[in-house]
Amino acid sequence: IAIIFIGTFFQQVVIVSNTTRKLEMALLEAALTLGAKKIQLLVRVVVPGILPALYRDQRILLGWAWTYLIVAELIGTSSGITWFITQQARYKNFDNVFAAIIMIGIIGLVTDLILAQLGKRIFPWEKAQGEG
């Protein structure tokens, strides 16, 4: 857990700051003109404005977390899919090794596809905005 946290936390900080910088200044100026306080600006303008892009960024970070999970399992576990791959490779059962690697890829792909569909339902205006 610590490896996954350390591996993804700092990228997440950078990604959130970059995504926040991309928010249109006109939205902030309009909210300030209408008398929004700092907390209202954050809760009602900034967070809703960056949420769709932040959701996409989190999907990308999930891929990174998968990578760090595999790395973490390589370090010192006696169970898990990486341990299985290592054991099968040791006994030269490469068909099982390739099957396990393909399973990792399929799990990652299916997870990303599900999250993409969920994102389309949560943020339906993003699809319409991207098409125009």
Side-chain angles (χ1 to χ4, degrees):
I1 293 173
I3 290 173
I4 296 168
F5 176 79
I6 292 168
T8 58
F9 177 75
F10 298 106
Q11 283 108 358
Q12 186 164 2
V13 169
V14 171
I15 286 172
V16 168
S17 66
N18 284 338
T19 302
T20 305
R21 268 191 225 117
K22 292 178 185 175
L23 185 65
E24 292 183 37
M25 289 304 274
L27 293 173
L28 297 173
E29 291 170 1
L32 289 170
T33 301
L34 293 171
K37 305 286 185 226
K38 286 184 180 183
I39 192 74
Q40 289 175 323
L41 198 64
L42 180 67
V43 173
R44 294 184 180 221
V45 178
V46 174
V47 172
I50 68 169
L51 215 50
L54 199 58
Y55 182 82
R56 282 191 310 272
D57 295 341
Q58 295 305 310
R59 280 181 44 213
I60 293 168
L61 277 175
L62 182 63
W64 287 54
W66 263 104
T67 304
Y68 285 113
L69 174 66
I70 300 302
V71 170
E73 280 191 0
L74 276 172
I75 289 174
T77 61
S78 58
S79 64
I81 196 157
T82 308
W83 177 82
F84 175 78
I85 291 170
T86 305
Q87 292 299 314
Q88 294 303 308
R90 182 174 294 149
Y91 299 116
K92 299 186 185 337
N93 295 330
F94 296 113
D95 52 342
N96 289 341
V97 171
F98 291 125
I101 291 170
I102 290 170
M103 286 301 298
I104 291 171
I106 289 172
I107 291 169
L109 177 65
V110 168
T111 303
D112 186 61
L113 291 174
I114 290 170
L115 290 174
Q117 289 300 316
L118 183 64
K120 287 179 183 176
R121 289 182 186 248
I122 295 173
F123 310 111
W125 63 89
E126 278 295 299
K127 181 181 177 190
Q129 190 179 41
E131 292 175 352

